[in-house]
Amino acid sequence: MSEPFPFAEATPNTVPAGELSRCYERLHELAESTYYHSRSGLTFVWRYEDVKEVLEARTSGLTKKNSLDPLHGYGNIARNPFAIPPFVRHLVPPPAPATANNTDPELHGRIWGAMAGPEGYFRVPDSAAAQADMKRHFAEALDSGSVAAEIDISGMVAPKFSAQVMTQWAGLPPESAELVQVWSRAQSGLLGRTYANLREQARAVSGLGNLFTVSDRIVRRRMREPADDFASHLLARDIPPRYVVAALANSLAAGVFTVSGTIEKTVHGLLSDPVRTQWNQLGDPARARVIGREGLRMYPGLVGWKAGARESVTLKSGTKLPRGPILTMIEAANRDPRIFADPNDFQPDRRGAQPLTFGQGEHVCPGQWIARIAVQTFLEELHHHAPQARIIPADTPTTPQPDLLFSGAQVRVCPA
């Protein structure tokens, strides 16, 4: 490359918030449109049209089959003696492909339709009722995440809120939320991180395995005793049970840290504005909705997603991709100046192209309606509780473990 690649040594989640916009500006100034990251084995793409085409996976040679594979493959896990027992206990036989990596068009269509079609489980017929539940989850998370004059958004409130929301929608008992949070972090870590510590990797495998084991137990129970929940809804539509297990486990895993990451980053961005223009408008539900929407464009918790090329592929733009795994840089695409004017400015009223936060094409996120309401509700409720909130500067900022897929922000606030 003629200019240094901004993310050759860093990942978006390790770049300080104040420097990230400039990194994306430099990224889109590059003459090249791809970068091969030898340590990850992935080819990075970041221009909006390229990311959109790869996410759609309709171009011959592109595939979504590897989307949920561990970053460095199952072989890496198989060589870890600590990871083998939990892997065999929970993940043998291997889970079925659910929505993100299911390449069977007919079956994928049926599963996605049962989750997000006109009568899909994740459709929200009564947004007011959904918001009421989420307000309750916020109050419970806030109660546990507030100490004296401090609210720990990233360390406690946002992850707990997101876990409670997803636990309820999945039909798990409320007391499961804490474990769902732990297991979701494990699944997210395996997708986007490398583990130098073998025991840490084994704990992540165990967490992921527990997510599937619990989901399997729920599905088996609902096969005997149907209820008004996720598993029963899919089973009633003749989705094979092992695919229901995978859909349930993946929905739980995907929802927690994509939602909490978006919340953390958006709160940090809104409160970092010295004028606080957008923050001060959160008392108006109509404004909160569009502010949340812009937060999902500019600050997605899911900053990248994996795909693959079965052979060398030339995209419509002329970008050439070699055979092998691909990383689509979603947050970077959402800040492409070719598509979004002043992409690093927070503009809730912008119109035009749809951000790629929830994917594209047949594999678009089936739970996006829940995520939108969750982000909006959290922002409204935090503003209502602490309209004069201020960020508490970190005494000793810590650098998170590099993650190619997921990103959040370290943010604590004082209510006044």
Side-chain angles (χ1 to χ4, degrees):
M1 285 197 155
S2 55
E3 295 290 333
F5 184 68
F7 299 100
E9 301 297 331
T11 55
N13 75 308
T14 63
V15 177
E19 300 174 17
L20 191 58
S21 291
R22 178 54 188 151
C23 284
Y24 284 132
E25 289 176 359
R26 288 169 47 213
L27 183 67
H28 286 292
E29 289 167 357
L30 295 175
E32 297 86 348
S33 56
T34 65
Y35 174 78
Y36 177 68
H37 194 315
S38 58
R39 284 186 294 178
S40 70
L42 300 167
T43 297
F44 291 26
V45 295
W46 55 87
R47 293 182 181 175
Y48 180 92
E49 295 298 344
D50 290 346
V51 170
K52 180 180 178 182
E53 186 174 352
V54 173
L55 289 173
E56 286 178 337
R58 293 174 181 166
T59 301
S60 177
L62 295 177
T63 179
K64 301 286 287 184
K65 191 173 182 180
N66 65 316
S67 294
L68 294 178
D69 288 352
L71 180 60
H72 277 185
Y74 290 104
N76 183 273
I77 293 173
R79 289 188 291 272
N80 180 351
F82 303 112
I84 293 173
F87 187 88
V88 172
R89 185 182 312 122
H90 297 292
L91 298 169
V92 175
T99 54
N101 60 339
N102 191 331
T103 56
D104 180 331
E106 190 277 332
L107 181 57
H108 171 267
R110 286 202 290 126
I111 296 171
W112 194 93
M115 295 172 69
E119 298 181 358
Y121 183 79
F122 284 132
R123 286 287 185 174
V124 184
D126 187 347
S127 59
Q131 279 190 308
D133 284 337
M134 292 182 187
K135 288 180 180 180
R136 174 171 53 82
H137 294 316
F138 175 86
E140 293 173 1
L142 181 69
D143 183 61
S144 64
S146 301
V147 179
E150 176 183 319
I151 303 172
D152 187 353
I153 300 295
S154 52
M156 179 65 72
V157 183
K160 182 169 183 176
F161 165 81
S162 302
Q164 290 181 171
V165 168
M166 293 311 302
T167 296
Q168 177 190 350
W169 277 90
L172 276 68
E175 59 269 22
S176 302
E178 186 173 348
L179 285 173
V180 166
Q181 183 179 330
V182 172
W183 297 337
S184 297
R185 187 181 296 278
Q187 193 261 11
S188 302
L190 285 173
L191 291 179
R193 297 179 183 177
T194 57
Y195 290 92
N197 186 301
L198 296 182
R199 291 187 183 275
E200 185 179 353
Q201 184 189 59
R203 285 193 291 270
V205 172
S206 180
L208 172 62
N210 275 300
L211 199 62
F212 275 88
T213 295
V214 168
S215 296
D216 181 72
R217 289 173 185 164
I218 292 171
V219 172
R220 290 177 183 274
R221 187 180 309 136
R222 292 299 172 242
M223 291 171 69
R224 301 188 303 269
E225 304 169 1
D228 183 18
D229 63 8
F230 181 99
S232 298
H233 185 88
L234 268 65
L235 288 168
R237 283 150 183 79
D238 296 323
I239 306 301
R242 62 189 296 261
Y243 287 89
V244 179
V245 171
L248 176 56
N250 288 324
S251 295
L252 285 168
V256 175
F257 287 100
T258 52
V259 171
S260 67
T262 299
I263 288 170
E264 294 160 18
K265 293 160 68 177
T266 303
V267 169
H268 188 276
L270 295 177
L271 292 179
S272 296
D273 174 10
V275 183
R276 299 162 64 91
T277 302
Q278 307 303 333
W279 174 262
N280 292 334
Q281 296 181 30
L282 286 171
D284 178 352
R287 293 304 300 167
R289 184 166 53 254
V290 295
I291 290 169
R293 181 180 64 198
E294 178 70 345
L296 283 160
R297 176 195 73 87
M298 196 165 175
Y299 303 119
L302 184 71
V303 297
W305 195 243
K306 296 197 296 291
R310 295 186 296 265
E311 58 196 40
S312 298
V313 176
T314 300
L315 302 180
K316 296 173 183 176
S317 66
T319 293
K320 297 182 184 298
L321 298 175
R323 181 178 179 272
I326 301 166
L327 179 74
T328 58
M329 300 182 71
I330 292 172
E331 187 172 52
N334 285 353
R335 299 197 190 194
D336 188 339
R338 303 166 186 81
I339 305 297
F340 301 99
D342 301 315
N344 293 307
D345 292 347
F346 197 96
Q347 299 178 9
D349 297 308
R350 67 169 70 242
R351 296 288 185 268
Q354 289 295 314
L356 300 175
T357 301
F358 295 107
Q360 184 69 21
E362 296 174 351
H363 291 266
V364 69
C365 173
Q368 62 174 289
W369 296 276
I370 306 301
R372 293 181 190 279
I373 296 174
V375 171
Q376 175 191 344
T377 302
F378 189 101
L379 295 175
E380 283 187 277
E381 291 301 295
L382 181 61
H383 177 268
H384 176 76
H385 177 81
Q388 303 304 318
R390 294 289 187 276
I391 291 177
I392 301 173
D395 296 328
T396 54
T398 59
T399 301
Q401 184 175 351
D403 193 316
L404 290 171
L405 270 59
F406 295 90
S407 176
Q410 299 175 49
V411 54
R412 297 176 299 139
V413 304
C414 58

